[in-house]
């Protein structure tokens, strides 16, 4: 194509670019104001740890004790949060970008979600202070045995009766968990999870990771059709339209092998990265760039032109 | 006050409505948006564009 | 005659690339006669509405709209502006695809448009993350897995509200606005693709 071909030398029509822009802006502004007035926008209140611990104390305690004994989602996540050998999704074979970049947002789950927050009431409550000291000075194997006993009792039910029957098997964990639950219900844990020694706070990583380790948040999302397996990335709470433009990304999660793969995120992100690159490069991809020639939508668009000049 | 009033004209906060068939699942709202997009695209191509009197 | 100063050279090149009647044309080739051609400017108009409503929210801060009915309405404008922005952009994209509008040294116009679309998705996504409601909690805790698996999550932490707010209201809109600006200048420079 020569430079000359860039310049259209054929017949022209009258056109007013400024008028077009002004009319478009006025029309779109009016339409948006109208849609906003008619349909409003969703704003479902955020979940608090206080709400979670009141609505489902067993789930809260199960999550808390899993943070303590290192079996929680975050504790076993691997990079970028925790050092776990071999953890982190693979794109293909043993190739993992998560492992390549390593632990950039380090989280110590037991410290971040349980022991750290409990240090606050321990300052005024000697019973908590004692329990905390006993736990912290015990060998790791004993810590694990106590927390596993507690997790087992939670799973089987009648926790209090089981603890009374064999108090020694649980060590200080019942006191710690009881205090953490009280803290959570009072709302104090919500504050403790986001507080820093720098006063100001804009980072909710710890609080959100803790919420996500429980199943309460997920159960709320499920009723709103927001799970990944429910095409959730496209969806919005209530009956509002969501991010419909994520349809292709969402689609992959629904079909095999991705719907059952433990590396689905890494694989789908790799696929979407390739497809996005292809989308950007459409003008250079043989075959794809010729589709418009074979799908005669253009004949309709320029029908007037072809009739008069073609 | 006014905003709260008009905001409630059509309440989309209710129980979510979904169309579900096998592995396919879509919210009614998203379906409406996608169908509207296709319809507007078809209309934009099919609708006659006003002739310009000043054509040279 | 070539200008000897940097300023002069930039001015001369600018004027040569964009003479006034090309920058603000009052004629178009006769084939530019279909409603499909208005979806570019409609996208641009919706982008302006999104920027303006976002700016109003910014005046009072990210938590304002949860406690004020006026704020909630402005948030609704921001949401529906975004829905329209994507709506118009997708129709524009389909139209340009079926016209093979990248022909005639116009590939860069397609590329800037395509990248704008992808970055707009990222911008909308960070908007969902900074709503400070249930959506933000759920979308953040879900999306982290994909981003972490792709390595991006190590540096782009969707659970860090402050970081996401900066990306949403400064970094991404700035890049999208610059890309859209470049996209429009390319359309003015190269003109509208002729019929196949």
């Amino acid at each position: 194509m020569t430079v000359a071909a860039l310049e259209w030398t054929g017949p022209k029509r009258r056109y007013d670019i400024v008028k077009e822009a002004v009319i478009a802006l006025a029309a779109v502004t009016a339409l948006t104001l109208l849609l906003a007035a008619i349909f409003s926008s969703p704003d479902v209140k955020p979940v608090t740890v206080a709400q979670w611990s009141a609505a489902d104390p067993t789930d809260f305690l199960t999550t808390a004790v899993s943070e303590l004994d290192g079996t929680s989602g975050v504790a076993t996540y691997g990079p970028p949060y925790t050092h776990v050998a071999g953890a982190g999704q693979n794109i293909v074979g043993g190739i993992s970008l998560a492992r390549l970049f390593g632990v950039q947002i380090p989280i110590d789950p037991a410290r971040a979600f349980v022991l750290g927050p409990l240090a606050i009431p321990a300052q005024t409550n000697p019973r908590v202070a004692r329990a905390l000291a006993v736990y912290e000075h015990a060998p790791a194997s004993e810590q694990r045995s106590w927390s596993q006993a507690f997790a087992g009792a939670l799973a089987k039910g009648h926790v209090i009766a089981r603890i009374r029957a064999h108090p020694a098997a649980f060590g200080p964990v019942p006191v710690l968990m009881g205090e953490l639950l009280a803290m959570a219900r009072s709302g104090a844990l919500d504050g403790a999870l986001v507080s820093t020694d720098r006063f100001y706070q804009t980072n909710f990583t710890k609080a959100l990771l803790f919420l996500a380790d429980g199943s309460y948040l997920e159960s709320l999302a499920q009723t709103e059709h927001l799970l990944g397996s429910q095409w959730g990335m496209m969806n919005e709470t209530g009956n509002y339209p969501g991010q419909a433009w994520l349809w292709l990304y969402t689609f992959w999660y629904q079909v095999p092998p991705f719907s059952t793969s433990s590396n689905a995120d890494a694989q789908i992100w790799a696929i979407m990265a390739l497809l996005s690159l292809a989308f950007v490069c459409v003008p250079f991809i043989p075959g794809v760039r010729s589709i418009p020639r074979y799908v005669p939508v253009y004949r309709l668009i320029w029908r007037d032109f072809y009739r008069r000049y073609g | 006050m006014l905003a709260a009033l008009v905001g409630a004209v059509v309440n989309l906060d209710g129980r979510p409505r979904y169309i579900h068939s096998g592995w396919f699942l879509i919210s009614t709202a998203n379906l409406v948006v996608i169908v509207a997009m296709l319809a507007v695209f078809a209309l934009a191509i099919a609708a006659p564009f006003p002739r310009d009197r000043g054509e040279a | 005659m070539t200008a000897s100063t940097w300023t002069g050279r930039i001015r001369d090149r600018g004027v040569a690339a964009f003479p006034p009647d090309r920058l603000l044309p009052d004629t178009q080739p006769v084939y530019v006669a279909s409603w499909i051609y208005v979806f570019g400017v409609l996208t641009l108009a919706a982008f302006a509405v999104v920027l303006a409503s976002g700016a109003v929210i910014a005046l009072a801060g990210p938590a304002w709209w949860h406690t004020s009915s006026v704020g909630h309405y402005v948030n609704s404008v921001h949401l529906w502006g975004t829905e329209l922005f994507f709506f118009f952009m997708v129709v524009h994209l389909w139209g340009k695809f079926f016209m093979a509008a990248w022909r005639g040294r116009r590939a860069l116009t397609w590329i800037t448009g395509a990248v704008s679309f992808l970055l707009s998705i990222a911008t909308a996504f960070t908007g969902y993350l900074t709503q400070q409601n249930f959506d933000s909690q759920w979308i953040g805790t879900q999306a982290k897995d994909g981003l972490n698996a792709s390595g991006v999550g190590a540096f782009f932490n969707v659970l860090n509200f402050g970081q996401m707010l900066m990306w949403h209201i400064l970094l991404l809109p700035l890049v999208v606005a610059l890309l859209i600006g470049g996209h429009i200048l390319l359309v003015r420079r190269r003109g509208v693709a002729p019929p196949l």
Side-chain angles (χ1 to χ4, degrees), chain A residues 197-212:
Chain A
D197 55 3
R198 296 182 307 279
F199 186 80
Y200 285 100
Q201 172 58 293
T202 56
N203 187 351
F204 293 80
T205 305
K206 276 199 296 177
L208 285 167
L209 285 176
F210 186 51
L211 270 178

Side-chain angles (χ1 to χ4, degrees), chain A residues 151-175:
Chain A
L154 276 172
K156 289 183 207 129
H158 306 287
V159 185
I160 295 169
R162 284 176 201 281
I163 293 169
R164 284 206 180 123
H166 303 283
F170 299 89
V173 168
V175 174

Side-chain angles (χ1 to χ4, degrees), chain C residues 110-134:
Chain C
W110 173 274
I111 291 169
T112 48
V115 176
S116 300
F117 176 65
L118 297 174
L119 285 180
S120 297
I121 291 176
T123 313
F125 168 67
T126 53
Y128 281 90
L129 295 174
T130 49
Q131 288 185 88
Q132 301 188 317
N133 57 18
F134 178 76

Side-chain angles (χ1 to χ4, degrees), chain A residues 275-292, chain C residues 93 96-97 100-102 107 110-111 114:
Chain A
L275 289 177
S276 298
L277 185 67
F279 166 57
V280 171
C281 297
V282 158
F284 309 107
I285 302 175
V288 177
R289 66 178 175 192
S290 305
I291 292 173
Chain C
L93 164 68
K96 293 302 154 187
F97 176 78
W102 52 78
W110 173 274
I111 291 169

Side-chain angles (χ1 to χ4, degrees), chain A residues 1 3 6-8 11-15 17-18 20-21 24-25 28-29 31-33 35-37 39-47 77 80-81 89 97-98 101 104-105 202-205 208-209 211-212 217-218 220-221 226-227 236-237 241-243 245-246 265-266 269 276 279-280 282-284 288-289 291-293 295 297-298 301-302 305-306 309, chain C residues 22 24-34 36-38 41-42 45-46 48-49 65-66 72-73 75-77 79-81 83-84 86 88 93 97-100 102-107 110-111 114-115 117-118 121 124-125 128 132-135 137-138 141 144-151 153-155 157 159-162 188 190 193-196:
Chain A
M1 175 86 50
V3 180
L6 284 173
E7 210 72 59
W8 176 256
K12 296 202 167 185
R13 66 195 306 280
R14 222 163 62 98
Y15 172 66
I17 194 171
V18 172
E20 184 191 53
L25 186 60
V28 172
T29 303
L31 181 58
T32 316
L33 294 178
L35 286 169
F39 296 115
S40 189
S41 52
D43 190 16
V44 176
K45 281 208 170 98
V47 174
Y77 196 96
Y81 309 122
Q89 292 191 20
L97 291 172
F101 293 117
Q104 299 288 340
I105 307 164
T202 56
N203 187 351
F204 293 80
T205 305
L208 285 167
L209 285 176
L211 270 178
L217 187 70
E218 187 174 339
L220 296 180
L226 298 179
L227 299 191
E236 176 58 274
T237 53
Q243 302 181 73
W245 45 88
L246 295 183
D265 292 309
W269 271 70
S276 298
F279 166 57
V280 171
V282 158
F284 309 107
V288 177
R289 66 178 175 192
I291 292 173
R293 287 183 195 282
V295 183
V297 172
Y298 72 93
I301 294 173
W302 290 310
F305 176 83
Y306 291 129
Y309 304 96
Chain C
R22 186 181 279 170
L24 288 174
D26 50 10
T27 62
Q28 279 287 21
V30 73
Y31 55 80
V32 184
S34 166
I36 198 68
Y37 284 108
V38 303
V41 70
L42 289 178
V49 171
W65 70 279
H66 300 287
H72 194 115
Y73 180 70
N75 176 74
S76 304
V77 173
L79 169 72
W80 288 100
E83 288 285 343
L84 286 178
F86 277 100
F88 296 142
L93 164 68
F97 176 78
F98 285 113
M99 290 188 271
W102 52 78
R103 291 168 296 123
R105 295 179 62 196
R106 292 179 178 86
W110 173 274
I111 291 169
V115 176
F117 176 65
L118 297 174
I121 291 176
F125 168 67
Y128 281 90
Q132 301 188 317
N133 57 18
F134 178 76
D135 273 1
Q137 292 181 310
W138 179 251
T141 52
K144 75 178 195 307
D145 298 332
L147 286 149
N148 290 339
S150 68
F155 311 99
N157 181 3
L159 308 181
N160 184 338
F161 171 77
R188 296 271 60 84
R190 304 274 189 232
L196 271 158

Side-chain angles (χ1 to χ4, degrees), chain B residues 9 11-13 15 17 23-24 27 29 32 36 44-46 48:
Chain B
V9 172
N11 188 0
L12 295 183
D13 277 316
R15 201 182 154 70
R17 282 188 290 268
W23 54 264
F24 183 76
S27 76
V32 167
I45 287 167

